Each structure stands twice: as structure tokens, then as C-alpha cells.
Amino acid sequence: MEKNICVVGLGYIGLPTSAMFASHGHKVIGVDVNKKVVEELNKGNIIIEEPGLGELVESVVKEGNLKAQITPIESDVFIIAVPTPITDDKRADLSYVKKATESIVKFIKEGDIVILESTSPTGTTEEVMLPILNRSGLVAGKDYFLGHSPERVLPGQILQELINNNRIIGGVNKVSAEAIKDLYSSFVKGEMYLTTATTAEMCKMMENTFRDVNIALANELAKICEKVGINAWEVIELCNKHPRVSLHQPGPGVGGHCLAVDPWFIVERVPDIANIIKLSRETNDSMPQYVFNRIGELLSYEKRRRKVTVLGITYKPNIDDMRESPITEIIDKLDKSDYELAIVDPYVSGFRHEERDILKACTGSDLVLLAVNHNQFKELNFKEISEVMRGNLIFDTRNFLNNEDIINSGLAHIVLGNSKRKSTLSYNEVAITQ
Ligand SMILES: NC(=O)c1ccc[n+]([C@@H]2O[C@H](COP(=O)([O-])OP(=O)(O)OC[C@H]3O[C@@H](n4cnc5c(N)ncnc54)[C@H](O)[C@@H]3O)[C@@H](O)[C@H]2O)c1
């Protein structure tokens, strides 16, 4: 049945969700405090990068099924998709959720549905939103339906994942969860699992925490293997031959607005219990310093001002997102220690020490740091690079580059987690498959 839906927050989550509902038989009003987002949307334009989203938005705006405005409006459904960042002292900043909830209170009427989609600490729906919504004089779960349905989509494939991912739907009671499930069934083809709002909040945080903890384990393994004098990547490959083991991969740190943030929401709530979660966060946060220290050791022979070329600055490969990127921390440390820097990233521009041309960036360099495994860095011409470099060190923090090409060009391939500095063996060549 067609509903009037008001989506509060038109970012990476709220905008695709709005467009999806609007293209599946509903009338959607998108609300954002950012005037530019609203103005552009009403012209059928978007200001974020996401494959397919521009075309979808253009068509639903043209059809009159999606419009944007600065403030909410009376609707049958309210979906809140505002940011839930972290403060400097690692606490959830729920001010956006509170403001968004306050902005809808006066519009809620009997039979409406209110859904929190933002990733939130346990208790946000029932202890933060509910007291605000009570000002409406209506009873949640009786007069209107309230719940939390976290979003699991991956940027770059949001539209397919919105449809195909399984969804968790947590209600303040069963009828709320059922009403929310009924709404999402407009377009969701994945399974939908009903639970309580607080359980749904914990599920979302735990999904990201699971990944963060496992990356921390891999990072710890990388440090251990460097001390023991073996190759962590070989250890990981061999361990993962076990039918019930799936070790993650080490790297220069964990960034983004999910993995580097959400585990802290759990720690904040139960600091005396969430020991592994906290230690994992700290382990991953230690990686930029670790990489910086390794660079210092590797270049300790050089008495002149040292030049480092950094390949990649985003928090993960093949995207333009720099939020919480650990690479920026490595760069800051190098900058403060008076290294000369040249930084290349094919996806972003406008940063300090930016260089668009890789050969130019490598000219006079003592060490090239592969920081992000963007596809564009897979086919580097190391022969040419070796001719323009002053030193000969390629420090690969992702075990991504072609070992043979590097060695054949007279360069040294140093891989994070592999202490065999002069080895010509890549981990694929070790006699493990015989
Ligand atoms: N981006 C992702 O990949 C992803 C994935 C899963 C979950 N999430 C979660 O979804 C939530 C939203 O994330 P996002 O990436 O869409 O954020 P975003 O920063 O891209 O967009 C949020 C939007 O909300 C607007 N806003 C802030 N306060 C508002 C208010 N009071 N009223 C109206 N608009 C307001 C902002 O102007 C912004 O346009 C967060 O909790 C995030 O953790 C994000």
C-alpha cells in the first residue's frame, strides 16, 4: 500500500533508501539540514558518489515521488538516517539522532511508523528516542510503531545490497517489528529477521566489531612474525587451509566511519567488560605508528633529508573516502618528522604534498610506501620507478605488489608482516602447495 514516507538525513544511507522507497510505489519527502543537498535533490541531482544512484534519483524526482525539504512534514513513516559519529574521547555523539527525533515529534500521529536506521549504541531507540517521542502523547507500540533497523550496505554497491541483503528488524514490541518488516518488504528481497530494538542495535555494532577484532588479530600476527623472522602472509594462507579458520589480513590501520567507530559504542557502555574489543581498537590504532617506526628503521642509514612517496590516502581501496583514514596519520607523522613527501591517490585530490604523476612522485625518493591497494597501483612500472628513485625500498603494507617485478628492477620489496627483507620468494612461491 502506498505510504507517505519522510526520511530524515539524506546521506549515503538516507538518500538511496529514499530513492528505493520512491521507486517502489511510495511518496517520499527527504529531509536534510544541508540546504545544498535539498536544492540539488529537487533538481534531480546528487552530491555523493554511488553507482546508479544519480540515475535513480533523477527518475524518481522527475516522476514526483521524491522531493526534498529542510524540515519534516506529516507522514505515515519516519526514517532517521543521520550521522552517529564519535567524540574525541571515544563516546557516541547522539546529538544528531536527538535533534532528528525532536524534529519529527510534532508530526507523529496514530498508526505511524518511526524507524531508526543510524548505527547506534544499545538503548538509543528505547532510552534516547522514546522519551523524546513520548512528548507526542502517543504510546509507542500501541498508538504508533517504533523500532531500529540497521543498515548493512557497502558503499559502491548500495542499491543492489539494499534490495538483496538480509535485514534485522528490532521493534519496541512485536507489532512494531512486524509493521516495519511489512514496510521494507516493498523492495527487500533478502530475509528479514525480527527481534527487539536493543538486540538489533547490538547486532549492527557486533558485525563491525567482529571484523575489527579479527583485523587486530592479523595485525598482531604481523608484528609477531616480524619479530620471529617469518612471513605472516604465508602463515595466514596456510592457516586458512583449515576448514574452520578464516584469518583476516593485516594492514596499516583501520579507517572509515564504521569499523573504527562502532566498537567504541560498546566499550563506552560496558568499559569493564569489553576488554578484547577495546584492545583490538587500540591494536588497530597502533598500526600507523608501527608503519611510521618501520619507515624510520628502514631509512636510518640515510643522513640526508629523506623522501617518502606515499601511494594511496583513502581508508580502503578503489573509493574516494578519507574518513578516519589511518594513512593520513602516517603522513602527519612523517610530515612532523621533516620527511619530504609526495602523495599520489587516483581517487582524491586537494591534499597536501599531492602529486598526480607516479614517476614524478617517485623521483628522488628513498622509499615508496604502498599504503592503499587501489587497482591503479597493481601494474606499476618498477623498472621506470627504479631509475628515478634515489633509494631502492618499496614498503608494501598490503602484500599487494608484484614481488618479481620489484626484485627484477633492482628494488627491495619489504612487506608488512614479512621480515625476510631480501627474500626473492613471494608467499605464493613458498613450497606450500606441493
Ligand atoms: N555510509 C555507510 O556506508 C553506512 C553503512 C551502514 C550504516 N551507516 C550508518 O548510517 C548512518 C548515516 O550515515 P551516512 O553515511 O548516511 O551519513 P552521511 O553523513 O552521509 O549523511 C547524513 C546526513 O544527515 C544530515 N543531517 C544531520 N542531522 C540532521 C537533522 N537533524 N535533520 C536532517 N538531516 C540531518 C546531514 O546533513 C547529512 O546529509 C550513520 O549512523 C552510519 O553509521 C552508514
Side-chain angles (χ1 to χ4, degrees), residues 125-126 130 140-141 144-148 170-174 176-177 195-197:
T125 310
E126 296 191 358
L130 186 57
Y144 72 101
F145 308 108
L146 173 64
H148 172 57
V172 293
N173 60 0
K174 196 160 175 242
S176 290
T195 182
T196 66

Side-chain angles (χ1 to χ4, degrees), residues 375-404:
N375 287 343
Q376 288 87 337
F377 299 145
K378 194 69 194 172
E379 304 297 335
L380 295 178
N381 185 333
F382 287 106
K383 200 97 219 103
E384 284 179 4
I385 289 175
S386 71
E387 281 160 16
V388 297
M389 281 180 74
R390 179 170 69 176
N392 72 335
L393 302 175
I394 309 292
F395 184 10
D396 181 353
T397 64
R398 311 274 184 171
N399 193 30
F400 181 67
L401 301 172
N402 188 315
N403 178 266
E404 213 171 298

Side-chain angles (χ1 to χ4, degrees), residues 144-342:
Y144 72 101
F145 308 108
L146 173 64
H148 172 57
S149 186
E151 196 42 78
R152 291 166 153 174
V153 290
L154 184 70
Q157 46 198 63
I158 292 181
L159 295 182
Q160 304 92 290
E161 292 211 357
L162 269 176
I163 295 172
N164 296 316
N165 282 359
N166 298 331
R167 264 200 112 83
I168 296 176
I169 294 174
V172 293
N173 60 0
K174 196 160 175 242
V175 283
S176 290
E178 279 164 352
I180 296 169
K181 178 181 176 188
D182 194 40
L183 175 76
Y184 282 111
S185 63
S186 312
F187 63 83
V188 172
K189 294 206 178 112
E191 292 295 328
M192 289 193 266
Y193 300 96
L194 306 193
T195 182
T196 66
T198 310
T199 302
E201 288 161 349
M202 182 59 96
C203 287
K204 173 65 194 178
M205 288 187 296
M206 213 48 197
E207 288 161 11
N208 286 337
T209 299
F210 169 84
R211 298 181 57 214
D212 196 51
V213 168
N214 278 284
I215 294 167
L217 191 60
N219 281 333
E220 192 161 291
L221 174 69
K223 292 179 183 174
I224 292 167
C225 288
E226 286 191 1
K227 274 270 183 280
V228 175
I230 56 173
N231 182 354
W233 299 88
E234 187 189 341
V235 172
I236 291 167
E237 181 165 327
L238 291 174
C239 286
N240 287 349
K241 304 285 180 201
H242 183 295
R244 286 168 296 281
V245 173
S246 180
L247 286 175
H248 283 39
Q249 301 199 332
V254 171
H257 51 288
C258 292
L259 268 62
V261 171
D262 302 348
W264 288 117
F265 294 176
I266 301 178
V267 175
E268 174 188 351
R269 192 80 199 212
V270 282
D272 300 340
I273 305 173
N275 299 319
I276 294 171
I277 298 173
K278 180 163 185 277
L279 189 56
S280 299
R281 270 290 64 246
E282 287 165 352
T283 302
N284 290 336
D285 279 351
S286 75
M287 293 312 288
Q289 180 70 45
Y290 187 78
V291 170
F292 168 77
N293 291 349
R294 284 292 314 274
I295 294 170
E297 283 162 27
L298 290 165
L299 293 179
S300 58
Y301 69 88
E302 180 59 72
K303 298 297 165 236
R304 292 166 294 184
R305 187 172 184 226
R306 297 162 291 184
K307 177 172 176 181
V308 172
T309 303
V310 181
L311 302 183
I313 192 170
T314 57
Y315 85 84
K316 65 176 181 178
N318 308 321
I319 55 162
D320 65 354
D321 197 339
M322 284 173 59
R323 287 184 283 183
E324 316 283 329
S325 172
I327 317 307
T328 56
E329 199 181 325
I330 299 172
I331 291 166
D332 283 350
K333 288 180 192 302
L334 292 167
D335 223 357
K336 282 194 188 119
S337 304
D338 198 35
Y339 284 80
E340 187 184 342
L341 287 167

Side-chain angles (χ1 to χ4, degrees), residues 43-225:
K43 288 186 229 157
N45 302 329
I46 63 171
I47 62 166
I48 55 174
E49 289 272 329
E50 180 60 32
L53 184 61
E55 294 85 334
L56 184 65
V57 165
E58 195 186 351
S59 83
V60 288
V61 169
K62 215 181 240 170
E63 288 158 11
N65 292 328
L66 174 59
K67 288 186 186 129
Q69 56 187 56
I70 302 280
T71 49
I73 187 171
E74 200 175 287
S75 292
D76 306 316
V77 178
F78 296 89
I79 297 176
I80 294 180
V82 293
T84 42
I86 199 160
T87 59
D88 287 343
D89 60 347
K90 312 287 186 200
R91 305 177 80 81
D93 175 0
L94 293 179
S95 60
Y96 299 91
V97 172
K98 286 182 194 160
K99 281 205 184 91
T101 310
E102 279 160 3
S103 73
I104 62 168
V105 174
K106 68 176 178 197
F107 298 107
I108 297 174
K109 58 181 187 330
E110 276 195 29
D112 280 358
I113 300 173
V114 179
I115 307 163
L116 173 67
E117 279 208 9
S118 304
T119 305
S120 304
T122 47
T124 304
T125 310
E126 296 191 358
E127 291 160 31
V128 177
M129 286 180 71
L130 186 57
I132 298 171
L133 295 169
N134 282 343
R135 294 179 206 156
S136 66
L138 300 173
V139 178
K142 183 169 158 278
D143 300 331
Y144 72 101
F145 308 108
L146 173 64
H148 172 57
S149 186
E151 196 42 78
R152 291 166 153 174
V153 290
L154 184 70
Q157 46 198 63
I158 292 181
L159 295 182
Q160 304 92 290
E161 292 211 357
L162 269 176
I163 295 172
N164 296 316
N165 282 359
N166 298 331
R167 264 200 112 83
I168 296 176
I169 294 174
V172 293
N173 60 0
K174 196 160 175 242
V175 283
S176 290
E178 279 164 352
I180 296 169
K181 178 181 176 188
D182 194 40
L183 175 76
Y184 282 111
S185 63
S186 312
F187 63 83
V188 172
K189 294 206 178 112
E191 292 295 328
M192 289 193 266
Y193 300 96
L194 306 193
T195 182
T196 66
T198 310
T199 302
E201 288 161 349
M202 182 59 96
C203 287
K204 173 65 194 178
M205 288 187 296
M206 213 48 197
E207 288 161 11
N208 286 337
T209 299
F210 169 84
R211 298 181 57 214
D212 196 51
V213 168
N214 278 284
I215 294 167
L217 191 60
N219 281 333
E220 192 161 291
L221 174 69
K223 292 179 183 174
I224 292 167
C225 288

